[in-house]
Amino acid sequence: MNKKIKWGIIAPGRIAHRFADAFKDMGDGELYGVASRDIDRAREFASTHTIPYVFDTYGALINNPDIDAIYIASPHRYHFDTAKECLDAGKAVLCEKPLTVTAKQSEALFSIARENQAFLMEALWSRFLPCWQQVKNWINQGEIGDIQLLRSSFGFQPENNKTNERLYNLDLAGGSLLDTGIYNIALSQFVLEQKPTHIHSSVIVGDTGVDERCSVLMDYEGITSQFTCSFLSKLDNEFHITGSMGTIVVEGNFWEATSAKLILNNGHTEAFTQAYRSSGFEYQVDEVHQCLLEKRQFSENMSPQATIENMKIMDEILDKAGVNYPLLIDNKKIHPVN
């Protein structure tokens, strides 16, 4: 692919603004169109980010022949149907995390992508950040020795009323695990590159039926990753990786980190700091562009297996806690919003 990749954005909400900001320093891609069921919202978004075309339906954007790739930023409750429509149209898809609500849905989407020979990647942007790439380099170089313990947290207190806030809405697959805990899990998996052998969890389910706090231990044959994700309290939001020779500390907020520290048992310390080129989302866009250039259907960094394994862990935690989202069996009942 030797031309600029033209992107369409579906659902221009808060996170889509950050995605669009990534294109301020993007030589091989451009924002071409945005779609929303609220046309005024789409027009305002397009004006803010200098996007030439506005669509009042998702289908109109998806079927536009000039669009190469589509970023899906709707609530994850609606990802499956929207991504399927994009893939069936042969479009490359970068879909916000979590890719779907269950592992079974993710498996189905990757199967659909293969059938249509269309690119699909979950937008777990943290794995592509320079800071996390440095963390992985320290680990691969053996700087902290044998990994023994991972410890992380992601906690904040949403301000909106529980009855209206997406995060507390069972019909929208709300809850702390799918919205925030996915980062703790995905980056544990990124560091360890293996499946947990046992998962122990303590979950507080609120009066709207969603998980409001999850405290989890994931065992990996001698290594433990322990994390808490919560809507009930503000936590330090750091990620610690401890080995036999030292510790790596990814400072808060770890999922959007620009700095990390290497602290060795012998007293040696090393700091890494690197600001984003733009918004931080540009690194995952770089990955999509490189995959398309090389005609790869999937990313090696954020692979289908990585997405599915993350989803399986969350499935198990939520199933044990008795959190059940409605209307998941018949995907035809899922309709996009925004």
Side-chain angles (χ1 to χ4, degrees):
M1 186 173 290
N2 55 14
K3 63 180 181 66
K4 275 196 173 185
I5 296 169
K6 294 181 178 179
W7 283 83
I9 296 175
I10 284 179
R14 177 185 56 81
I15 200 165
H17 282 283
R18 190 161 189 173
F19 176 81
D21 284 340
F23 283 76
K24 292 177 180 177
D25 182 34
M26 192 67 62
D28 52 358
E30 62 179 304
L31 298 176
Y32 183 84
V34 57
S36 175
R37 297 181 71 179
D38 183 339
I39 191 65
D40 290 334
R41 188 180 193 187
R43 286 172 179 152
E44 181 180 356
F45 187 93
S47 176
T48 298
H49 297 286
T50 319
I51 300 174
Y53 295 98
V54 173
F55 301 87
D56 60 359
T57 67
Y58 293 175
L61 181 146
I62 291 168
N63 293 297
N64 185 286
D66 293 322
I67 290 176
D68 305 302
I70 296 174
Y71 171 68
I72 299 172
S74 57
H76 43 265
R77 178 68 171 83
Y78 307 110
H79 286 175
F80 181 91
D81 279 357
T82 307
K84 180 180 184 301
E85 188 176 354
C86 294
L87 295 169
D88 284 341
K91 303 297 186 182
V93 174
L94 176 65
C95 183
E96 259 311 319
K97 57 81 195 165
L99 179 64
T100 57
V101 179
T102 67
K104 185 173 291 186
Q105 286 184 322
S106 289
E107 289 171 339
L109 273 188
F110 284 115
S111 178
I112 292 166
R114 292 185 183 94
E115 291 170 4
N116 289 287
Q117 297 185 343
F119 177 85
L120 173 62
M121 188 179 94
E122 182 181 23
L124 256 162
W125 66 298
S126 308
R127 293 176 61 133
F128 299 94
L129 292 176
C131 182
W132 276 98
Q133 292 299 311
Q134 180 60 50
V135 168
K136 196 67 177 290
N137 287 339
W138 279 332
I139 291 170
N140 290 343
Q141 292 163 6
E143 294 286 355
I144 62 170
D146 296 327
I147 296 177
Q148 299 170 337
L149 176 67
L150 280 61
R151 177 173 58 84
S152 62
S153 66
F154 191 152
F156 70 105
Q157 294 173 304
E159 296 179 357
N160 292 358
N161 187 290
K162 287 187 179 184
T163 59
N164 298 319
E165 170 60 40
R166 172 186 63 83
L167 298 175
Y168 293 100
N169 192 323
L170 191 67
D171 289 335
L172 293 180
S176 63
L177 188 66
L178 290 181
D179 197 76
T180 62
I182 185 172
Y183 285 109
N184 305 82
I185 293 169
L187 291 168
S188 295
Q189 298 284 93
F190 176 66
V191 167
L192 298 176
E193 296 184 345
Q194 57 182 295
K195 303 176 186 178
T197 54
H198 297 91
I199 301 170
H200 316 273
S201 56
S202 175
V203 178
I204 293 178
V205 178
D207 53 15
T208 66
V210 305
D211 57 293
E212 296 185 7
R213 190 190 75 194
C214 299
S215 295
V216 180
L217 289 176
M218 299 188 294
D219 291 329
Y220 294 84
E221 297 184 353
I223 305 171
T224 298
S225 176
Q226 59 184 51
F227 74 86
T228 296
C229 58
S230 177
F231 293 161
L232 301 178
S233 53
K234 187 179 186 303
L235 303 175
D236 65 19
N237 297 336
E238 294 185 341
F239 201 111
H240 295 237
I241 305 164
T242 298
S244 57
M245 296 166 54
T247 296
I248 296 169
V249 179
V250 184
E251 299 169 341
N253 296 324
F254 75 82
W255 58 91
E256 57 183 1
T258 57
S259 62
K261 292 179 181 177
L262 174 67
I263 307 169
L264 301 185
N265 296 344
N266 63 12
H268 172 78
T269 63
E270 184 177 335
F272 174 87
T273 300
Q274 184 171 327
Y276 307 144
R277 292 199 325 259
S278 296
S279 70
F281 277 32
E282 61 271 18
Y283 304 103
Q284 65 179 350
V285 177
D286 288 342
E287 174 72 2
V288 176
H289 288 177
Q290 190 62 32
C291 288
L292 295 180
L293 178 66
E294 297 174 0
K295 298 183 178 180
R296 288 190 280 128
Q297 219 178 324
F298 305 114
S299 165
E300 294 179 3
N301 186 335
M302 196 60 232
S303 67
Q305 195 58 35
T307 291
I308 291 166
E309 290 304 327
N310 292 343
M311 293 305 312
K312 286 181 177 179
I313 292 169
M314 293 191 291
D315 281 356
E316 180 174 337
I317 294 168
L318 293 174
D319 183 61
K320 287 179 179 177
V323 175
N324 297 302
Y325 300 115
L327 305 179
L328 283 179
I329 296 176
D330 182 2
N331 285 312
K332 293 181 180 178
K333 293 181 182 178
I334 301 174
H335 300 290
V337 295
N338 280 334

